Amino acid sequence: PMSVAQYLEPGKHRFDLLIIDEASQTRPEDALGALIRCTQAVVVGDPEQLPPSDFFVAAESREDEEIEDSPEESILELGRRCWRPMRMLGVHYRSRHQSLIAYSNREFYDDRLLVYPSPVLDDPDFGVTSQKVADGGYEAGQGRNPEEARAIVAEAASLMRKRIDRSIGI
């Protein structure tokens, strides 16, 4: 059997092309091993997405001094400072209803994304709605928002009563 040291021997493995997808979620130290073994790289990601974070790792699995609410830098952010050219994807194709991306397109992408029109616009069973929680407040370090949680439970109960034939995921 080959040891880890033999397998990762410097200069032994080379790649012509490395593609890092979801780079906004990739820490530089996680990409470094592959980057030093390639001759060219394509780094793909969305700078409007949140950077990597250990925030959602269970508090029980971390030491108190490790718990932080601050995100870390991604390989995408690091690369944006020095790698060129940069290009932006112009078409959004993932959402099954245009309202799923409408807010983000307007607020984060300056309406630059081309979004395929939805066949149904005014059906309450399609799309996204939002509801403001008046007294909600995030408890930093605790990872919770009790008022928002109560509002979610109330909405879920309402949906389950109205649509007994449907499932719900939270």
Side-chain angles (χ1 to χ4, degrees):
M2 194 182 311
S3 73
V4 173
Q6 290 171 320
Y7 184 71
L8 296 177
E9 181 181 332
K12 185 173 182 178
H13 299 284
R14 299 292 301 166
F15 304 101
D16 295 323
L17 175 64
L18 169 67
I19 299 173
I20 302 174
D21 194 10
E22 298 293 343
S24 64
Q25 298 297 309
T26 305
R27 291 179 175 87
E29 62 269 23
D30 293 334
L32 183 62
L35 282 168
I36 62 174
R37 290 174 173 81
C38 73
T39 56
Q40 57 183 330
V42 175
V43 179
V44 182
D46 185 346
E48 297 300 333
Q49 288 184 345
L50 292 173
S53 172
D54 285 333
F55 179 75
F56 293 105
V57 175
E60 299 86 42
S61 68
R62 298 185 296 177
E63 299 294 324
D64 286 342
E65 61 271 4
E66 291 180 5
I67 297 174
E68 294 181 14
D69 286 347
S70 62
E72 297 185 27
E73 184 174 52
S74 70
I75 190 66
L76 179 66
E77 287 303 314
L78 186 64
R80 289 179 71 194
R81 290 191 226 137
C82 56
W83 295 333
R84 297 284 183 261
M86 276 188 9
R87 295 182 182 93
M88 180 176 161
L89 182 65
V91 179
H92 176 80
Y93 57 88
R94 290 182 173 174
S95 298
R96 295 184 74 177
H97 193 278
Q98 65 193 51
S99 67
L100 294 170
I101 193 64
Y103 176 83
S104 294
N105 193 17
R106 183 179 65 250
E107 298 298 323
F108 299 112
Y109 304 107
D110 299 319
D111 283 320
R112 290 176 296 171
L113 292 176
L114 174 64
V115 179
Y116 295 115
S118 302
V120 178
L121 294 178
D122 295 326
D123 188 331
D125 283 342
F126 293 96
V128 173
T129 61
S130 72
Q131 180 180 7
K132 177 126 174 89
V133 177
D135 295 327
Y138 174 72
E139 296 176 358
Q142 300 297 313
R144 61 183 176 217
N145 182 329
E147 291 304 315
E148 189 174 272
R150 281 190 265 287
I152 290 169
V153 169
E155 182 66 18
S158 172
L159 288 169
M160 286 186 274
R161 282 190 294 275
K162 290 177 194 172
R163 299 301 302 263
I164 197 164
D165 60 317
R166 305 287 299 266
S167 62
I168 186 169
I170 300 175

